[in-house]
Amino acid sequence: MTTPILFRNLQLLDPAFDEPRGGYEVVVEGERIREVSDVPVSLAGAQVVDCGGRTLMPGLIDCHVHSMHSEVYTRKLEDIPMTLAAARGARRLKEMLHRGFTTVRDTGGTDWGMKQAIEQGLLPGPRLFIAGRSIGPTGGHSDGRARTSPGYACPCCNGMAFLRVVADGEDGVRKTVREQMRQGADHIKIMASGGVASPNDPLDSLQFTMEEMEAAVEEAENFGRYVLAHAYSAEAITRAVTAGVRTIEHGNLIDEAAAKLMAENGAYLVANLVAYVAMKERAADFGMPAVMLEKNDMVLEGGYRSLEICKAAGVKVAYGSDLLGALNEDQSREFSIRAEVQSPIEVIRAATTIAAEVVRRPGLLGTVAAGAWADLILVDGDPTKDVTLLEGQGRHMPFIMKGGAFVADRLGLAA
């Protein structure tokens, strides 16, 4: 029988609040939150945890990660076998968990095997929602081949080929989408525009026809899944949302009309400003060529404005990081970057309640409420006043709980 855990002497920060509130106690039993009470709880036999007046809040959710992208310059992954790629990915996921991200949505490159390894307790990591391989057309953002390369023999010995797949034509897209879902994808990732970290496609290029995108959406929805689209320009966003895409990734060059269309269709934006800041600062040190860095500069400035445009239009914006290779250590830095144009509680909601909607788990994730999964973090202070408390590689988090188990614990609670 599972021993209940009673948390008391805490400031509760549920994202429904604008700031932490005292006078609450929280009971966890098994993998779930059993009770949230604003009066003292008497529970015989419970493990009582004195939180020392710290802030208790939901575990964080990052809606745009690439756990298998272990090189900043992705072409280097062509020399990485899957055994090494998996080991690197496992380490990246563990590090995410220890930063307080108890759930992540992988947007291309991570497979069912890694997800199962975490669910079976073979590897420590966050709850993992996967896209399988990102899908794009020949010459697009999913096509990372050098101009002289005719293609990859297979993905089994090539980390780059394992991450992405090329599909052309409506029938080709349908088959590829079905294959990713057969392999356990929770959502489907398509490329609707050019990208920064791809060699041959202009940033403002339009990728996939409307018919191809509509085919992807139809197949995903038939299977009970949804489509997310990599898209920068307003035109690419408009085409994707019109085709039925549910979430737009990046969206740095969005305009008011595209944002209005997103709001009317209930589409989400997953922004990740930290990726462009980190690439500008350090990507050249890891081999990223000038042509990619120039594209990065084109989208960096627009990222801040995209948040303001979406807020004015009523588009919900979730938290994302999208960091490649060694830049992944900056995952939590998105909080302070966004706080330049948003309030701390808005950024916190982006990484909790809004993110829970994106992964289709509202009420179960991103909240401290009865019946929710017991994914919790304890914070040394009030992150609504100092959002950098959610940064620092988890050093301001005395404990991190996932599914009722302490996965990081500086208070000795798991002993």
Side-chain angles (χ1 to χ4, degrees):
M1 186 174 180
T2 303
T3 300
I5 303 172
L6 171 60
F7 296 103
R8 57 178 32 151
N9 188 18
L10 57 91
Q11 297 291 312
L12 180 64
L13 179 56
D14 185 84
F17 305 158
D18 290 329
E19 68 286 310
R21 298 182 182 181
Y24 284 87
E25 297 188 354
V26 177
V27 178
V28 168
E29 187 169 23
E31 296 183 348
R32 304 263 183 164
I33 297 172
R34 170 173 148 178
E35 182 179 359
V36 178
S37 175
D38 58 0
V39 297
V41 175
S42 178
L43 190 61
Q47 177 186 357
V48 178
V49 175
D50 185 333
C51 294
R54 300 178 181 91
T55 299
L56 186 72
M57 63 179 289
L60 305 171
I61 305 170
D62 190 332
C63 286
H64 194 119
V65 306
H66 292 289
S67 58
M68 297 290 283
H69 286 57
S70 59
E71 293 285 349
V72 177
Y73 180 34
T74 54
R75 283 283 304 283
K76 292 184 177 182
L77 289 169
E78 292 178 350
D79 299 323
I80 304 298
M82 289 315 303
T83 46
L84 179 57
R88 288 179 172 183
R91 179 173 179 174
R92 287 165 67 84
L93 287 163
K94 179 181 178 180
E95 290 170 347
M96 292 178 196
L97 180 61
H98 283 259
R99 294 185 191 107
F101 289 95
T102 51
T103 298
V104 299
R105 183 179 72 145
D106 194 286
T107 55
T110 300
D111 73 346
W112 175 83
M114 188 68 78
K115 181 175 180 176
Q116 283 295 298
I118 291 173
E119 291 182 357
Q120 294 177 19
L122 302 174
L123 295 173
R127 299 181 189 276
L128 183 58
F129 294 86
I130 61 169
R133 296 165 75 188
S134 303
I135 307 169
T138 297
H141 190 47
S142 272
D143 191 344
R145 296 173 296 161
R147 293 189 189 276
T148 55
S149 172
Y152 307 122
C154 72
C156 62
C157 301
N158 180 324
M160 180 69 169
F162 188 79
L163 305 178
R164 304 169 179 174
V165 61
V166 169
D168 292 303
E170 185 178 339
D171 289 344
V173 169
R174 287 186 187 278
K175 181 176 181 179
T176 305
V177 169
R178 290 170 178 171
E179 179 62 21
Q180 298 314 301
M181 294 187 297
R182 185 191 73 81
Q183 293 185 24
D186 298 300
H187 44 263
I188 295 297
K189 167 76 170 290
I190 66 170
M191 305 306 187
S193 80
V196 172
S198 45
N200 304 319
D201 54 334
L203 198 64
D204 59 356
S205 63
L206 299 175
Q207 300 181 12
F208 280 138
T209 65
M210 291 296 294
E211 291 77 14
E212 288 170 324
M213 288 191 287
E214 288 168 354
V217 169
E218 181 181 15
E219 293 299 333
E221 292 183 349
N222 285 347
F223 207 80
R225 305 294 187 263
Y226 67 92
V227 173
L228 54 121
H230 162 106
Y232 281 111
S233 69
E235 186 175 3
I237 293 167
T238 298
R239 294 172 79 249
V241 174
T242 301
V245 167
R246 182 171 176 263
T247 77
I248 297 295
E249 312 302 305
H250 318 305
N252 297 47
L253 306 179
I254 195 170
D255 64 13
E256 288 79 3
K260 181 175 183 289
L261 181 67
M262 289 184 66
E264 290 172 349
N265 286 271
Y268 295 82
L269 178 71
V270 180
N272 45 271
L273 278 63
V274 65
Y276 314 106
V277 173
M279 282 193 286
K280 184 175 181 64
E281 291 174 345
R282 310 199 305 279
D285 297 338
F286 296 97
M288 184 171 279
V291 64
M292 294 182 182
L293 295 173
E294 289 170 4
K295 291 195 283 185
N296 186 68
D297 287 341
M298 292 173 62
V299 299
L300 177 56
E301 184 177 351
Y304 292 95
R305 186 165 180 268
S306 72
L307 299 180
E308 297 170 345
I309 291 172
C310 285
K311 181 176 181 179
V315 176
K316 292 184 179 181
V317 182
Y319 188 105
S321 57
D322 191 31
L323 292 158
L324 307 176
L327 303 181
N328 197 55
E329 66 185 12
D330 283 355
Q331 182 182 20
S332 305
R333 192 178 167 194
E334 179 81 2
F335 284 103
S336 56
I337 290 174
R338 286 206 199 182
E340 295 178 30
V341 293
Q342 294 181 312
S343 68
I345 191 61
E346 286 178 307
V347 190
I348 289 168
R349 287 171 180 149
T352 52
T353 48
I354 295 174
E357 292 176 17
V358 167
V359 298
R360 292 179 161 179
R361 299 298 187 276
L364 292 175
L365 295 172
T367 185
V368 184
W373 284 323
D375 294 0
L376 302 166
I377 57 177
L378 191 68
V379 183
D380 288 326
D382 180 357
T384 67
K385 294 180 178 177
D386 181 5
V387 78
T388 64
L389 291 170
L390 301 178
E391 302 181 5
Q393 310 303 320
R395 71 170 62 96
H396 305 299
M397 301 174 186
F399 75 68
I400 299 165
M401 170 177 277
K402 176 193 164 192
F406 293 105
V407 294
D409 174 19
R410 296 204 308 273
L411 302 179
L413 302 173

